[in-house]
Amino acid sequence: MESSAPSRRLTRPVRLGQLVLGDGQPIRVQSMTNTDTRDVPATLAQIERLAAAGCEIVRLAVPDDQAAHALRAIRAGTCVPLVADIHFDHRLAVMAAEAGLDGLRINPGNIGGEQHVDTVVAAAKDKGLPIRIGVNSGSLEKHLLAKYGGPTPEALVESALGHVRMLEKRNFDQIKISLKSSSVPVTVAAYRLMSQRVDYPLHIGITEAGTLLRGAVKSSVGLGILLAEGIGDTLRVSLTHDPEAEMSVAWEILRSLSIRARGPEIISCPTCGRTEINLIGLAEEVEARLRHCDEVFTVAVMGCVVNGPGEAREADIGIAGGRNLGIVFRKGKVVRKIKGPDLMTGFMEEIEKFLEERQEENRT
């Protein structure tokens, strides 16, 4: 990626299936299924849709024995790294490990006592699984809420460090940590504090961020701040929406900071009084048609044939539309004029030609 990408905070390596997290490895994008885990076909179908959209790690809720028994079939049906999300019942964590999942997400403090922590850690060691300690502002211990007067950054960090010590006491160090709040300032401050205290990989996210627009904005602000400071080894954008939508937001956050890129970047002007085409509809249709394209390149959709090619001259390919006329350009140079109202068909032809030429260049 570009040299302007933020410098990463160095963390220790933690293996999750075939992936290594931390230690300067790529920041991984993850999500969580919202299907009933007991419904194996539906869960596998959603995992594959998530993977096609760019998800690299998938977390599964495991609320009961029936869900835990379904994990073996789910594991057999996909090669995507899978993490079991466990609360309170240590047996479910052991069952998930035995089913072949790649990681566990628990809070050691609420798994049912020291003996049960021993059992879970033994299972994780035996299968070579990491444990993510997940602390949320809504599930903090009562004594910490009383001590700090609420779910403050300091309370989140102290809670997580207490869980870390429980695992370290058992000579377990394959640990990831998350400290999530629905408040952006609280989340950012908590991760800043934790990054100064430990070198374990950090999974970053804003929990309960909200619906598509609000959640995307809150996640972009919070995760953007942390990533710009080099904090974060994996991330999730949490939306009250189809989990696939989280992928687009997550990858655009990474792209905006020159950290990682997936698929085309689409730039478009905000429209003005010179616009003589349905620019909004054209830009949205271009975005929709290229949604499943993995190739990294820049596409410009501009509303003015006078200034469009100049303003977007750095785009690999672009279109600028006027009244019954569109011009297609590459790196600011006009390569085709399209007459008539249907600009989309001609533009997609040029994009396909551009991609074919690029693939041919890569082969030679």
Side-chain angles (χ1 to χ4, degrees), residues 32-44:
M32 186 173 185
T33 56
N34 62 5
T35 56
D36 185 337
T37 306
R38 294 165 292 195
D39 187 339
V40 174
T43 301
L44 280 172

Side-chain angles (χ1 to χ4, degrees), residues 107 135-141 145 150-151 156 180-182 207-208:
N107 280 345
V135 175
N136 287 349
S137 59
S139 59
L140 283 174
E141 298 91 326
L145 292 173
L156 288 166
K180 296 184 180 181
S181 168
S182 59
T207 194
E208 301 160 358

Side-chain angles (χ1 to χ4, degrees), residues 282-349:
L282 182 63
E284 290 178 345
E285 188 172 358
V286 169
E287 185 174 64
R289 292 204 186 192
L290 295 176
R291 183 162 291 133
H292 298 294
C293 178
D294 293 336
E295 189 80 15
V296 177
F297 62 106
T298 307
V299 182
V301 183
M302 311 297 286
C304 175
V305 294
V306 177
N307 294 328
E311 292 176 355
R313 66 170 57 90
E314 297 304 316
D316 293 302
I317 188 168
I319 186 168
R323 185 177 300 172
N324 294 321
L325 174 68
I327 57 173
V328 180
F329 53 91
R330 295 190 190 184
K331 295 292 185 181
K333 181 179 178 180
V334 176
V335 296
R336 179 177 173 180
K337 294 184 179 180
I338 305 171
K339 293 185 178 181
D342 186 12
L343 304 180
M344 192 69 221
T345 299
F347 188 42
M348 290 307 300
E349 291 173 354

Side-chain angles (χ1 to χ4, degrees), residues 2-282:
E2 300 174 11
S3 59
S4 57
S7 299
R8 289 276 300 284
R9 161 185 170 268
L10 188 62
T11 55
R12 68 175 69 186
V14 169
R15 180 167 291 280
L16 179 75
Q18 297 302 310
L19 299 179
V20 175
L21 307 178
D23 195 35
Q25 296 296 310
I27 297 170
R28 299 297 180 179
V29 174
Q30 60 180 279
S31 184
M32 186 173 185
T33 56
N34 62 5
T35 56
D36 185 337
T37 306
R38 294 165 292 195
D39 187 339
V40 174
T43 301
L44 280 172
Q46 187 171 72
I47 290 171
E48 293 311 306
R49 291 196 302 272
L50 282 167
C55 187
E56 298 170 297
I57 301 168
V58 175
R59 185 157 47 106
L60 306 170
V62 187
D64 55 31
D65 284 22
Q66 190 177 353
H69 284 302
L71 295 177
R72 194 175 298 275
I74 295 171
R75 171 71 288 168
T78 180
C79 61
V80 177
L82 302 177
V83 176
D85 190 87
I86 309 293
H87 290 277
F88 308 116
D89 192 338
H90 77 285
R91 297 178 307 105
L92 301 177
V94 174
M95 293 170 71
E98 292 174 346
L101 267 65
D102 303 288
L104 304 173
R105 187 273 193 186
I106 64 171
N107 280 345
N110 70 15
I111 211 72
E114 295 284 333
Q115 184 177 354
H116 291 164
V117 175
D118 289 340
T119 302
V120 172
V121 169
K125 285 183 177 180
D126 181 58
K127 300 297 183 180
L129 308 185
I131 292 176
R132 170 154 77 92
I133 294 170
V135 175
N136 287 349
S137 59
S139 59
L140 283 174
E141 298 91 326
K142 291 182 180 179
H143 74 278
L144 292 177
L145 292 173
K147 177 180 178 179
Y148 290 100
T152 65
E154 293 78 9
L156 288 166
V157 170
E158 184 169 332
S159 176
L161 289 176
H163 298 320
V164 168
R165 284 191 291 270
M166 293 180 72
L167 298 183
E168 290 179 334
K169 187 170 69 173
R170 293 162 172 84
N171 297 314
F172 188 85
D173 63 0
Q174 290 297 288
I175 300 169
K176 301 176 293 169
I177 302 171
S178 65
L179 308 147
K180 296 184 180 181
S181 168
S182 59
S183 163
V184 170
V186 169
T187 301
V188 169
Y191 279 110
R192 283 172 172 165
L193 287 172
M194 182 59 77
S195 69
Q196 298 169 4
R197 300 289 298 273
V198 299
D199 65 350
Y200 291 115
L202 299 179
H203 166 73
I204 61 175
I206 307 296
T207 194
E208 301 160 358
T211 52
L212 184 58
L213 175 60
R214 295 176 186 273
V217 171
K218 289 180 71 172
S219 295
S220 298
V221 172
L223 301 188
I225 292 170
L226 292 170
L227 292 169
E229 296 178 4
I231 297 172
D233 300 283
T234 76
L235 65 86
R236 181 194 177 187
V237 171
S238 298
L239 301 177
T240 309
H241 206 277
D242 189 316
E244 291 173 64
E246 299 176 0
M247 298 302 99
S248 298
V249 180
W251 281 102
E252 288 304 317
I253 293 172
L254 292 173
R255 188 203 302 274
S256 70
L257 291 167
S258 299
I259 294 173
R260 294 184 71 188
R262 179 185 183 276
E265 178 178 14
I266 300 173
I267 61 175
S268 56
C269 61
T271 76
C272 70
R274 291 190 299 271
T275 305
E276 296 179 315
I277 62 170
N278 179 11
L279 181 64
I280 296 172
L282 182 63

Side-chain angles (χ1 to χ4, degrees), residues 289 317 347-357:
R289 292 204 186 192
I317 188 168
F347 188 42
M348 290 307 300
E349 291 173 354
E350 292 300 317
I351 289 179
E352 290 171 8
K353 184 188 300 183
F354 164 79
L355 291 174
E356 289 172 0
E357 292 174 5

